[in-house]
Every structure is written in C-alpha cells, then in structure tokens.
C-alpha cells in the first residue's frame, strides 16, 4: 500500500476538492498500517521536499477511519490495510477529510450517539422505514419528474408517520443523515473519479444499505449514510444551490427535502401491516446480536471479568452490538477504573447498570494470563488494575477497589 502514498498526496494537491463541495478546506491527514503513520499537511510537521509526508510510529490514537485531533489539529485518518484498491482508499480519505471540513465550519448537527445504541427495534417502525427508503431509492432512480415527486411525497408522508412513535430517535436519524450523508456524497464523487465502474453500478453499490431490509434493520446508523447520500443527490437535481448555505444552518437534509417544490399532499397512512419480510428482518437482527454475544462469550482464552464501578469514557458507536443490558464493543473502549484510564484495544463486553456509560461488569478475553500481585493484576496491553481477584481454571474475577 505504500506505493499509494505519493499518489494520494499528488491527487489531493492537484484535485480541486471544491468541485466535490463548495469551500471544501483540507485539514491534515494520515494513512497508517500496523506499524507506521504517514502524516500529511499537518502544520506542526513541516516537510522538506521531495518528501511529502512525515513518518511516525503508530500509537493508540490511530484506530479506524475517522477524524481525530492530532497535536491539537483536526486530522483525517485512514487504515491502509483495509483497502486493496486505490479508489477505495482515496475516497474514504476524502470522506474523512470532509469531516475535517465540517469541524472547521463548526458543524452543529452531530447527534447524541447514545440514541443510536438505544434505537428501538420495533416491527412497526422497521416496516414503515423500509417502505420509506424504497420510495427514496426509487425517487432518485426515476427519470420522470412527476413520478419522482410522487415517490418523494410518499417518502415524506411515511417518515412523518414514523415520527409519531419514535420522535427522539427519528431526530437521531435525521442528524446522522445530515452529517454522514454529505460525507458519503463527497466520497461517492471521489470514488467515481477513480473507479472504472459505471455510474449506475456505483450508485447501486452505495445504495444497497438503503433497500437491503436485513442490513438496514441490523445497522440503523450505517443505513442512514445511504439515505443521507440519496437525499443529497436528489437535492442536486431539484435544488442545485443547496450546498452553498448548508453549513450556515441547522437544517437537516429531510427538512430541505420537505422544502422542495413538490407539493406534498397530506395523506393518511393506513394501518400498518407487518410484512413477512419485516418479521424476518427483525428476527434476524435480534438473533444476530444474540449470536455475536454468545460467540464472544464462548471464545477460547482467559475470561477476565472486572466488576465494580466502571465508567465508559469513549468508544466507537459504529462497532457496538447492543443486546438487552449488554454492549459488545467490537473495536475498542476506553474506561475509567479507580480514577485511572485504561484503553482496551480489543473486543470487550460491558454489562450496563444505569445508562450506557455506567458499567458494573466488563468482560475481556485474554490470550495470556495477567501477572499477579497481592492486590492487582497486570494485564498486557491494558495496564495494572487494583482489586481483589479469584482464579478458577480459565476464568478470573477481579473486583475493583
């Protein structure tokens, strides 16, 4: 992947990213692998030509594809090892750079991520949502303007119907769409420039989460990326200057869609009948969550249970599997125990007490046994945790002080 580094720098230097989005400002960015970080465009790391990047040792700050504050400056990061193709790496980096642009522009539409984790998995909501998204998908692909507006009318009516039952969580959807939809919008533009795929195939690739009932039901956050993207593309068709003032408002994409000149008619939605497709999707989502937790708990290794007052400080909301009062953190979690901070850079299972950040038990499956002292365990890659512990075969129970 290292051969992509200079090409990335060249493309981002020579490409006018304002053609992706008006006044798109590039922040710093970094590509990384398991050992090294290749940092570009950071004001505190000036490069001497012909070098275009600074090579640093990778540390715990570089996890996933996201935006971080690195030495006090917004920095888009992307994991090179996740991509075999240049267009995929380039476009995800443009996506994360756009989040840097949002940071600079002081984007105000970021949602409460706790609402995503507690999003209700009800059959009625899933049923209406799936109908809604099929209308949004059809609206974009439809070439007849009259039929396009009919699809949008139906889309609006269905979403307003859903608001009756899950108003707070629907606000979460609207905000995710408005933050991540534009990021996917610039991503698809960058991907289209570099990819040999035809535009219709690219659109289907990015829209699959919108009409895949199982995927949409199983991952509400990610499915909102597609609905946000499709609204962006529809706004391009029906209100071409919408992007110019987008950062100057708190208006959501859905609100902009409702403002379009499509004369939405107020129509009553008939009593919702749950389709077999929805029944199957909801059951699959519930069973999938339970199965993932069961598989985690059944892993071979040292099962370390840490019990007591634990506070979750940060985690990746995109990689959490909720089930009943438990959360499977598939990526990482940072916690506070005994007034000390610990970063767990591996899957872990939290048992929540009062709210998602208040944890009364944490399960980590270790490869190696911790080092024992009289009143603590020293855990490789995590640190020393004070407490009283008991060991029985491959299970350790640590009660923190």
């Amino acid at each position: 992947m290292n051969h992509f580094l200079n090409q990335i720098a060249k493309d981002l230097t020579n490409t006018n990213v304002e053609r992706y989005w008006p006044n798109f400002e590039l922040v710093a960015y970094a590509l990384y692998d398991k050992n090294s970080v290749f940092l570009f465009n950071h004001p505190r790391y000036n490069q001497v030509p012909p070098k275009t990047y600074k090579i640093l040792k990778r540390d715990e700050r570089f996890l996933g594809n996201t935006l971080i504050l690195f030495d006090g400056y917004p920095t888009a990061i992307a994991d090179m090892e996740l991509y075999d193709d240049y267009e995929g790496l380039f476009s995800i980096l443009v996506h994360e750079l756009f989040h840097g642009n949002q940071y600079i522009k002081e984007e105000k539409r970021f949602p409460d991520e706790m609402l995503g984790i507690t999003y209700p998995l009800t059959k009625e909501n899933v049923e209406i949502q799936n109908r809604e998204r099929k209308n949004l998908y059809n609206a974009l692909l439809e070439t007849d303007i009259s039929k396009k507006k009919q699809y949008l009318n139906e889309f609006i009516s269905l979403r307003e119907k859903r608001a009756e039952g899950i108003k707070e969580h629907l606000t979460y959807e609207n905000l995710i769409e408005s933050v991540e939809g534009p990021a996917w919008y610039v991503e698809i533009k960058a991907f289209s420039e570099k990819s040999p795929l035809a535009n219709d195939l690219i659109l289907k690739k990015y829209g699959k989460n919108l009409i895949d009932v199982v995927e949409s039901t199983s991952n509400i956050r990610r499915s909102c990326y597609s609905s946000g993207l499709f609204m962006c593309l529809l706004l391009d068709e029906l209100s071409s200057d919408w992007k110019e003032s987008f950062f100057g408002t708190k208006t959501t994409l859905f609100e902009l869609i409702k403002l379009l000149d499509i004369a939405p008619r107020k129509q009553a939605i008939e009593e919702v009948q749950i389709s077999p497709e929805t029944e199957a999707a909801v059951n699959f989502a519930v069973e999938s969550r339970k199965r993932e937790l069961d598989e985690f708990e059944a892993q071979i290794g040292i099962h370390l249970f840490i019990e007591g007052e634990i506070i979750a400080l940060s985690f990746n909301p995109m990689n959490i599997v909720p089930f009943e009062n438990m959360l499977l953190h598939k990526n990482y979690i940072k916690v506070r125990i005994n007034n000390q901070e610990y970063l767990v850079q591996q899957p872990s299972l939290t048992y929540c007490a009062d709210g998602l950040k208040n944890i009364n038990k944490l399960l980590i499956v270790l490869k190696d046994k911790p080092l024992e002292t009289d009143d603590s365990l020293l855990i490789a890659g995590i640190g020393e945790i004070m407490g009283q512990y008991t060991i029985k075969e491959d299970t350790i129970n640590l009660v923190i002080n």
Side-chain angles (χ1 to χ4, degrees):
M1 270 298 178
N2 286 8
H3 61 284
F4 284 162
L5 294 171
N6 290 327
Q7 186 63 43
I8 288 273
K10 180 180 177 182
D11 280 351
L12 286 175
T13 299
N14 296 337
T15 298
N16 179 9
V17 293
E18 289 196 19
R19 69 172 180 258
Y20 300 150
W21 191 278
N23 303 311
F24 189 160
E25 297 180 55
L26 292 183
V27 296
Y29 58 97
L31 302 171
Y32 67 91
D33 57 25
K34 62 183 178 181
N35 298 314
S36 302
V37 173
F38 306 92
L39 180 65
F40 300 75
N41 200 37
H42 198 291
R44 296 192 180 181
Y45 294 84
N46 294 325
Q47 300 306 308
V48 177
K51 278 285 186 183
T52 58
Y53 52 84
K54 182 77 173 179
I55 303 177
L56 307 172
K57 181 177 175 59
R58 183 187 174 191
D59 61 33
E60 64 186 35
R61 289 171 290 186
F62 293 86
L63 290 169
N65 302 321
T66 189
L67 182 78
I68 64 173
L69 284 180
F70 182 68
D71 280 3
Y73 191 74
T75 304
I77 66 171
D79 185 347
M80 290 191 294
E81 296 184 338
L82 297 178
Y83 299 91
D84 295 322
D85 57 283
Y86 181 74
E87 57 266 32
L89 180 61
F90 178 75
S91 59
I92 193 61
L93 185 58
V94 169
H95 175 128
E96 300 305 341
L97 281 165
F98 186 78
H99 286 315
N101 183 54
Q102 289 172 319
Y103 180 90
I104 290 173
K105 301 295 196 303
E106 299 182 338
E107 171 64 79
K108 298 292 193 301
R109 282 163 285 221
F110 290 103
D112 178 356
E113 292 292 356
M114 296 303 168
L115 291 172
I117 299 170
T118 60
Y119 190 92
L121 194 57
T122 67
K123 293 176 181 178
E124 179 171 324
N125 182 63
V126 170
E127 177 68 34
I128 302 173
Q129 183 189 66
N130 290 331
R131 296 186 203 174
E132 170 194 304
R133 291 183 167 184
K134 286 174 183 176
N135 278 280
L136 180 62
Y137 184 88
N138 290 335
L140 183 62
L141 271 60
E142 180 58 61
T143 56
D144 181 279
I145 189 63
S146 177
K147 292 180 180 178
K148 183 183 291 286
K149 290 181 177 181
Q150 288 177 13
Y151 282 127
L152 280 176
N153 283 332
E154 187 69 12
F155 165 70
I156 293 169
S157 297
L158 288 164
R159 177 156 296 195
E160 290 182 336
K161 171 67 175 177
R162 282 204 299 132
E164 297 171 8
I166 60 159
K167 185 174 183 180
E168 187 180 39
H169 288 89
L170 193 57
T171 297
Y172 169 82
E173 281 186 58
N174 290 335
L175 292 174
I176 284 290
E177 289 168 342
S178 302
V179 170
E180 293 289 353
W184 260 40
Y185 173 88
V186 298
E187 179 184 330
I188 196 174
K189 285 182 171 289
F191 187 88
S192 297
E193 283 187 350
K194 305 300 179 185
S195 174
L197 291 175
N199 286 337
D200 61 331
L201 295 178
I202 293 173
L203 196 59
K204 288 179 180 179
K205 165 185 166 67
Y206 277 82
K208 63 183 180 181
N209 290 345
L210 197 61
I211 57 173
D212 184 326
V213 176
V214 171
E215 176 62 26
S216 180
T217 304
S218 300
N219 193 329
I220 184 62
R221 192 184 200 279
R222 180 167 291 278
S223 70
C224 287
Y225 296 6
S226 293
S227 53
L229 166 63
F230 271 54
M231 280 190 269
C232 287
L233 295 172
L234 279 161
L235 286 166
D236 270 0
E237 288 186 23
L238 302 171
S239 179
S240 59
D241 61 347
W242 70 276
K243 296 186 291 295
E244 300 294 337
S245 60
F246 189 65
F247 283 124
T249 72
K250 293 183 180 179
T251 308
T252 66
L253 291 174
F254 179 60
E255 288 168 333
L256 288 178
I257 290 290
K258 289 173 65 177
L259 291 172
L260 292 173
D261 182 23
I262 55 176
R265 63 191 185 281
K266 294 294 181 181
Q267 55 182 352
I269 302 297
E270 71 279 6
E271 184 179 347
V272 178
Q273 298 294 322
I274 308 302
S275 68
E277 184 181 36
T278 295
E279 290 272 4
V282 172
N283 291 338
F284 178 85
V286 172
E287 289 302 316
S288 293
R289 292 178 185 184
K290 184 177 185 301
R291 183 171 59 253
E292 284 201 67
L293 268 67
D294 289 344
E295 289 174 353
F296 174 79
E297 292 178 313
Q299 285 184 89
I300 296 174
I302 309 300
H303 287 61
L304 172 63
F305 291 90
I306 305 172
E307 297 184 54
E309 185 178 334
I310 304 169
I311 304 298
L313 300 176
S314 66
F315 45 76
N316 185 343
M318 285 181 57
N319 287 284
I320 289 178
V321 180
F323 185 75
E324 296 179 348
N325 68 325
M326 296 172 285
L327 298 175
L328 175 60
H329 295 262
K330 299 173 69 173
N331 192 325
Y332 74 94
I333 185 173
K334 180 180 282 189
V335 296
R336 182 186 294 123
I337 300 174
N338 296 334
N339 291 319
Q340 296 288 322
E341 294 184 6
Y342 298 91
L343 178 64
V344 181
Q345 298 185 74
Q346 66 181 75
S348 63
L349 182 63
T350 61
Y351 299 76
C352 300
D354 179 23
L356 303 181
K357 291 190 175 183
N358 297 312
I359 301 166
N360 54 26
K361 186 162 63 174
L362 172 66
L363 169 60
I364 310 169
V365 181
L366 307 174
K367 292 181 180 178
D368 303 307
K369 286 187 176 181
L371 295 178
E372 304 172 32
T373 72
D374 289 339
D375 57 0
S376 71
L377 292 176
L378 183 59
I379 306 159
I382 296 175
E384 183 178 18
I385 301 179
M386 307 295 293
Q388 302 302 311
Y389 59 87
T390 57
I391 301 176
K392 185 177 181 179
E393 298 179 346
D394 289 334
T395 300
I396 302 175
N397 289 286
L398 171 64
V399 180
I400 58 180
N401 298 329

